[in-house]
Amino acid sequence: MRGTAETTSRRALHLWSKIAERLSKFPARLRVARLLVELGLSITADKKIMCGPIEMSQARIAEAADVDRRVVQETAETLMEDPELYKIFSNLKPAGPHLGTVARYLGYGVVEIWADPHMAGILAAVTALISDEKISIRQAIAEDPDLVPEPKLIVVTEREVAGDTLKAILKVPGVSKVSAY
């Protein structure tokens, strides 16, 4: 299993190094590519940028990436020229709603966990501890360490998690900090 995680990690590093290499002379295009990945926005064969079935305004994407509108079009064209990158960017999908930001309004609990993002088994250990408390998990999001400087695991639960379970989560190998609300 470890070989599989290492292979996946190498592939992810290869992807980011390939994107950075391809766009190294164009930092503004790199910002656009990063935004596309972060939001799960895809590029179609006719150079449209889509959020699922909805076409996105290149002007609004440019505004979000703090670049000129033309840079968005140039980024799409550059990514389409590379068959390996085009396969990735043409198949991206948005991850869906992030319930952590609205959990309190829905009566859910949230546990945020900072841990070594390259260590295997943290999600499994955390969900097992929460499951032992007979709490259903509504959503789990692991932030990508290539996109987020201090990535965390966000677990949205059907109700608040007990303090003893939070202490047990903190003892999971690789976990450095736990927060709940």
Side-chain angles (χ1 to χ4, degrees), residues 67-86:
V67 300
D68 184 86
R69 177 191 54 77
R70 293 170 294 196
V71 173
V72 176
Q73 182 68 26
E74 292 163 357
T75 303
E77 291 169 0
T78 301
L79 294 170
M80 288 179 72
E81 290 169 3
D82 184 307
E84 186 178 2
L85 291 179
Y86 181 63

Side-chain angles (χ1 to χ4, degrees), residues 153-176:
L153 171 62
I154 302 144
V155 181
V156 179
T157 56
E158 200 167 60
R159 59 183 166 86
E160 285 187 23
V161 173
D164 288 343
T165 302
L166 297 174
K167 289 177 187 173
I169 291 171
L170 195 51
K171 292 178 184 175
V172 170
V175 172
S176 59

Side-chain angles (χ1 to χ4, degrees), residues 36 39-44 48-56 89-96:
L36 297 179
L39 299 176
L41 303 179
S42 61
I43 301 172
T44 65
K48 293 179 181 173
I49 297 181
M50 307 293 288
C51 179
I54 302 168
E55 182 178 352
M56 303 301 294
F89 282 90
S90 65
N91 286 293
L92 286 173
K93 300 278 184 250

